[in-house]
Amino acid sequence: MKILVINCGSSSLKYQLIDMEGETVMAKGLCERIGIPGSRLKHEVPGKEDYVVETDLPDHSVAVKLVFDALTGEYGVVKSVDEIGAIGHRVLHGSNRFTESIIVNDEVKKVIRECFDLGPLHNPANLMGIEACEKVVPGKKNVAVFDTTFGMTLPEKAYYYAIPKEYYDKYAIRRYGFHGTSHAYVSQETIRFGGLDPEKAKVIVCHLGNGASISASIGGKAVDTSMGLTPLEGLIMGTRSGDIDGGVIQFIANHENKTVDEVLNILNKKSGVLGMTGISSDFRDIENAAEEGNHMAKVALDAFRYRVAKYIGSYVAAMNGVDAISFTAGVGENDKVTRQIVIDEYFSYLGAKIDPERNNVRGKERLISTDDSKVKIFLIPTNEELAIARDTKRLIEA
Ligand code: ADP
């Protein structure tokens, strides 16, 4: 069976067609600048030259139509859409209404719509992607895979905020966590690859990309995760502040004559390592600047790694132990210095030790700790598309 995975942003649409037999990518691509002048599709088929179409993409339906044309046309990989079993959609927020991925129907779409103010940047676009597929390939099953369902197993002590309970009752304000498909995939892959106990393994996953979060799970089930009601909570990120005293919001709003929305926009888009340095949200730029002697770039890197370590430490406490720590996503998979500093400088008391030679690797599944390390440390590349495709296949076959 072949599954199409779609990840819609407000002006972009990423896709992968996966053949589930060998779990191989048959084609993947990206529609950019949807609704903006200069839109285009880039379609990649392994072993072939990229196929680029520069054409007007006024909305997501036109983009989805172009994707299906690319998949079935001259540069295509299937003869007709009939070969595609179903479509899996990444959806950011499912509130506490969905504890699992689900086949889309009117009720599911209604809940995705009700969650617009919990995921204002993503949920509207995710729904547009689903509705575009319904229009372009009617009758094809669509599956919604939520970023929030991994966090649905959190115990009450981890998901309640210490605010008046009425806000939970009225609005379901609680900690949800994001990057759920990545945390679920990497924690399970850590157990499989590391030969750990599938029921009892205590695993911490550090998803360190532009957006960054950490999870603790036992037997693949989340017990805590660092993002909250929205992706703002937790680690220092490319442009997000992560944990912050709410008083800062009030202070900036009062002194700079800004609304709460404007301050939140600053905390989401202009903070993190970008805000601290004024240089860039890209960690490579920050590392280069630090090497050239820029003081705040060095501080931002130190602060980022320190926050990662503090979360790992608290999750060791949350689980009363840890069997494995896995690094994933852009920084986690590529930046050996961050991995080495986080483990060696903060967790030697646990007997955790990075093996410098094993750690000298990028983007490959590998054990990177020494043989005598008391905690196994892994690099596990994330694969959110495959996780979405697996869930989609499981649901439509059920
Ligand atoms: P997202 O999906 O959240 O946009 P990614 O997981 O793609 O993020 O990660 C992107 C980040 O990874 C960028 O900030 C980039 O600088 C960082 N990155 C990629 N390669 C390296 C590297 N060799 N060293 C440090 N950071 C890297």
Side-chain angles (χ1 to χ4, degrees):
M1 180 190 297
K2 292 158 187 100
I3 302 282
L4 180 64
V5 175
I6 286 189
N7 184 353
C8 257
S10 54
S11 67
S12 70
L13 186 161
K14 280 194 235 164
Y15 63 94
Q16 273 193 17
L17 183 66
I18 300 179
D19 185 347
M20 297 310 287
E21 237 150 72
E23 295 194 330
T24 50
V25 177
M26 301 175 72
K28 64 177 179 178
L30 170 68
C31 295
E32 286 174 295
R33 302 179 66 87
I34 300 171
I36 305 172
S39 45
R40 61 179 216 146
L41 162 94
K42 186 175 168 195
H43 178 75
E44 298 172 44
V45 176
K48 293 206 179 142
E49 251 179 56
D50 293 353
Y51 165 60
V52 177
V53 193
E54 289 184 0
T55 180
D56 228 16
L57 298 173
D59 59 40
H60 286 73
S61 296
V62 180
V64 166
K65 170 91 174 51
L66 193 65
V67 169
F68 277 101
D69 288 347
L71 290 169
T72 54
E74 193 186 334
Y75 299 88
V77 287
V78 289
K79 287 206 185 73
S80 88
V81 293
D82 297 342
E83 285 182 46
I84 299 171
I87 307 163
H89 296 261
R90 181 204 175 204
V91 182
L92 184 85
H93 219 303
S95 175
N96 57 357
R97 299 281 298 280
F98 298 116
T99 52
E100 262 219 274
S101 305
I102 188 161
I103 295 176
V104 173
N105 58 23
D106 286 344
E107 178 61 22
V108 173
K109 285 196 285 180
K110 186 165 160 267
V111 176
I112 296 174
R113 200 170 289 115
E114 283 166 5
C115 294
F116 276 6
D117 55 355
L118 289 172
L121 296 179
H122 297 83
N123 268 43
N126 301 152
L127 186 61
M128 275 195 276
I130 291 172
E131 289 180 333
C133 289
E134 288 177 335
K135 192 168 149 194
V136 175
V137 280
K140 190 79 53 198
K141 282 207 169 94
N142 291 286
V143 169
V145 179
F146 299 93
D147 247 33
T148 44
T149 52
F150 183 67
M152 284 294 107
T153 55
L154 259 55
E156 288 175 310
K157 65 181 176 184
Y159 76 65
Y160 270 110
Y161 285 114
I163 58 174
K165 169 84 167 15
E166 63 179 284
Y167 299 124
Y168 176 82
D169 298 336
K170 270 200 240 168
Y171 310 116
I173 293 181
R174 52 162 278 176
R175 306 187 58 259
Y176 288 95
F178 297 87
H179 294 135
T181 39
S182 176
H183 286 289
Y185 174 84
V186 175
S187 58
Q188 278 156 17
E189 195 54 24
T190 300
I191 291 172
R192 188 200 65 79
F193 182 73
L196 306 177
D197 184 331
E199 304 288 319
K200 295 192 190 133
K202 296 172 177 176
V203 176
I204 294 173
V205 172
C206 308
H207 177 112
L208 311 179
N210 241 319
S213 64
I214 300 199
S215 69
S217 60
I218 300 179
K221 294 212 162 49
V223 297
D224 211 340
T225 185
S226 63
M227 285 175 164
L229 174 73
T230 76
L232 181 60
E233 194 176 341
L235 300 177
I236 294 173
M237 312 181 206
T239 64
R240 293 190 191 110
S241 63
D243 294 337
I244 194 154
D245 175 357
V248 173
I249 298 170
Q250 182 196 35
F251 194 97
I252 295 176
N254 288 345
H255 284 74
E256 298 272 317
N257 203 17
K258 290 191 188 308
T259 63
V260 170
D261 282 9
E262 285 168 339
V263 179
L264 261 290
N265 194 46
I266 293 170
L267 295 181
N268 272 300
K269 295 193 180 152
K270 296 186 178 154
S271 299
V273 294
L274 169 69
M276 288 180 82
T277 62
I279 296 171
S280 166
S281 61
D282 191 300
F283 280 84
R284 279 166 296 199
D285 297 339
I286 306 297
E287 282 177 8
N288 290 339
E291 268 167 38
E292 284 162 15
N294 182 296
H295 177 65
M296 278 314 289
K298 188 166 173 338
V299 175
L301 280 178
D302 283 350
F304 168 74
R305 292 163 182 160
Y306 176 60
R307 183 83 57 91
V308 172
K310 285 211 298 188
Y311 264 95
I312 295 176
S314 67
Y315 287 172
V316 174
M319 298 191 289
N320 193 13
V322 60
D323 298 308
I325 300 170
S326 288
F327 288 89
T328 196
V331 179
E333 291 173 30
N334 291 296
D335 184 3
K336 62 180 178 187
V337 180
T338 288
R339 296 191 298 256
Q340 186 253 318
I341 289 177
V342 165
I343 299 301
D344 287 352
E345 288 191 10
Y346 296 96
F347 296 102
S348 54
Y349 78 94
L350 279 182
K353 219 190 287 173
I354 290 278
D355 179 317
E357 231 161 83
R358 290 177 183 169
N359 189 36
N360 192 10
V361 62
R362 276 170 190 232
K364 265 201 210 128
E365 212 163 56
R366 185 185 270 190
L367 177 79
I368 55 170
S369 48
T370 59
D371 288 337
D372 65 346
S373 175
K374 295 268 176 13
V375 182
K376 287 186 169 161
I377 317 293
F378 295 100
L379 192 172
I380 306 279
T382 191
N383 193 339
E384 291 171 274
E385 289 79 10
L386 180 58
I388 292 170
R390 283 180 181 167
D391 253 20
T392 303
K393 177 170 182 280
R394 181 176 56 78
L395 279 170
I396 62 159
E397 283 178 346

